[in-house]
Structures are given as structure tokens and as C-alpha cells.
Amino acid sequence: MASVEECRAALARASDRIMEVEEADRRKHIEERSVSVAVPDLATVFDMRLTLNGLENVTPRGTTAPAERAQVRITVSSDDLVELADDRMNFGRALFSGRVRLDVSFSDLLRLRKLL
């Protein structure tokens, strides 16, 4: 099981990967959204903003701590989060196999699929 700090570092790597996408493509596919990544095996949720500058204001909290409902909600184990961030796991396969749960509007899914 990965630690909270390893998951935070994985999210930073994911943000870096977003920033590798050409700015024109980021503008086309990213609309600023609130994002939460729940990591049940750590009883932690990472709240953040998805912006043209990547993932910003990444803040961990306990799963029982109150928070506003994010527009994009992801649930994933700590180890799978690290593997996804390191591009050792295919997001689509992880999603369809149930290793990742995604709760997002259909329009956001269509827009973000190019970045996942």
C-alpha cells in the first residue's frame, strides 16, 4: 500500500503529464473543474482543481471530513493511483475492470478523455 505522500507525489506527476500536453489541446479539452480523488485504503480524499496549469491546490483530508461535492470524482486504491500516474496502468482498462471508479458528467468525460 502506497502512503499519502506517495499518492500526493503521484498526483504531482499526473499534473506534470497534463502540462506536457500542448497548450492549444489543453485549452480545447480542459474546463476548470473541482476534482476529488478518494483513496479508500488510506481513508483519504485529495481535493484539487483541474486547470490549464494542471492540478492545483491538492489538499488531503480524511474521508469523513466534510467537503463540497467535486465535479469530477475518482475512487482508486493507493497502489493503482501510483501505477496510473507512472503510466504503468492503462486508465481505460482500469476503469472498465472496476479498479478505478469515475463519477463525472458525460460532457466532462468526453472533454477529458483526451487527457486520461
Side-chain angles (χ1 to χ4, degrees), residues 21 24-33 50 52 71-72 102 104-116:
V21 174
D25 287 335
R26 286 195 320 263
R27 288 188 183 284
K28 182 178 176 183
H29 299 291
I30 294 177
E31 186 170 313
E32 187 167 322
R33 291 286 184 246
L50 172 63
L52 292 175
Q71 293 162 307
V72 177
L102 184 61
V104 62
S105 71
F106 187 70
S107 61
D108 282 341
L109 179 61
L110 291 176
R111 189 177 305 109
L112 295 173
R113 69 186 161 94
K114 298 286 186 181
L115 299 173
L116 298 175

Side-chain angles (χ1 to χ4, degrees), residues 84-103:
L84 286 165
D86 290 341
D87 208 19
R88 295 186 312 227
M89 180 185 292
N90 178 280
F91 186 84
R93 285 190 202 131
L95 183 64
F96 289 114
S97 70
R99 292 177 77 169
V100 173
R101 283 193 356 242
L102 184 61
D103 185 4

Side-chain angles (χ1 to χ4, degrees), residues 3 5 7 19 24-25 27 30 39 43 47 51 59 62 78 101:
S3 70
E5 284 309 312
C7 289
M19 293 303 297
D25 287 335
R27 288 188 183 284
I30 294 177
V39 185
D47 295 313
T51 72
T59 307
S78 59
R101 283 193 356 242

Side-chain angles (χ1 to χ4, degrees), residues 22 54 73 105:
E22 293 291 326
R73 293 166 302 282
S105 71

